[in-house]
Amino acid sequence: MKKKGLLIVISGPSGAGKGTVCKEWLKRNPEAVLSVSATTRKPRPMEVDGVNYFFISREEFEKMIEDNEFLEYAEVYGNYYGTPRRFVQEKLMEGKDVILEIDIQGALQVKERFDDGVFIFIIPPTMEELKRRIVKRGTEDPDVILQRFTSAFEEINFIKRYNYVVVNDQVEEAVRKIDAIVLAEKCRVDRNNYLIMYLKGEI
Ligand code: 5GP
């Protein structure tokens, strides 16, 4: 009997460093897979279609919504972002752990559907540091920066809906904590019913 993979949802305000933390975690866990989202946002310099995102038009995105191809989707800062459903479901069934790096609206939608996922909220050490990181990225104009920073204050209120919080001060430390969370989740009794059945010779 194949054990299903674990769905790991990494979320939190823009600038908390979700992307960096996910990337580093994946380096250490090469057997896990990242879900590549679709977006209508324009690619930033260095971003590659199919690697960072699937960059598609609004029309294409709306067609995918209609065809129920998303596990979740949301409009974030004027652009659509969504998680293609099929990839995630296939990988989980293959026994692979799947990591999603998505915004808070999306994470809450996933929680409705996958109660057995692990929901991790990444926060910055301080709000000053958050602002510094958004500005430092240098890819957004001042209006967008302000919008992202203002949203961050509101988004932090949703933390109660998550299972874990990780402060991303040092990336190394944040990644270590996510490893620990994932390991503990895999040892949960309710995720290991099959072990008991196996020991009892039932399977
Ligand atoms: P960015 O434009 O900086 O790449 O992403 C903006 C926000 O959209 C980030 O908070 C990012 O986590 C989120 N995001 C990326 N992909 C998805 C997705 O598939 N669904 C949702 N709901 N949010 C996403």
Side-chain angles (χ1 to χ4, degrees), residues 10 12-14 18 36-39 41 44 47 53 72-74 76-77 81-84 101-107 109 137 140 148:
I10 302 283
S14 188
K18 307 184 286 275
V36 177
S37 300
T39 183
R41 164 167 83 56
R44 296 180 182 133
E47 281 185 331
Y53 284 104
E72 63 72 35
Y73 71 91
V76 189
Y77 316 119
Y81 294 81
T83 305
E101 187 239 301
I102 59 177
D103 92 312
I104 288 145
Q105 309 170 67
Q109 290 176 45
R137 191 151 66 189
E140 266 78 38
R148 290 188 176 213

Side-chain angles (χ1 to χ4, degrees), residues 23-79:
K23 219 166 78 191
E24 289 304 312
W25 185 81
L26 276 159
K27 274 191 205 158
R28 289 222 211 153
N29 295 273
E31 69 295 345
V33 291
L34 173 75
S35 157
V36 177
S37 300
T39 183
T40 58
R41 164 167 83 56
K42 296 277 162 287
R44 296 180 182 133
M46 310 300 287
E47 281 185 331
V48 178
D49 187 38
V51 175
N52 303 90
Y53 284 104
F54 295 106
F55 294 100
I56 62 176
S57 68
R58 248 188 130 74
E59 292 70 34
E60 286 170 306
F61 200 101
E62 282 166 358
K63 173 85 175 56
M64 286 179 74
I65 297 176
E66 235 176 73
D67 295 343
N68 198 24
E69 286 186 44
F70 289 117
L71 187 63
E72 63 72 35
Y73 71 91
E75 191 150 4
V76 189
Y77 316 119
N79 287 300

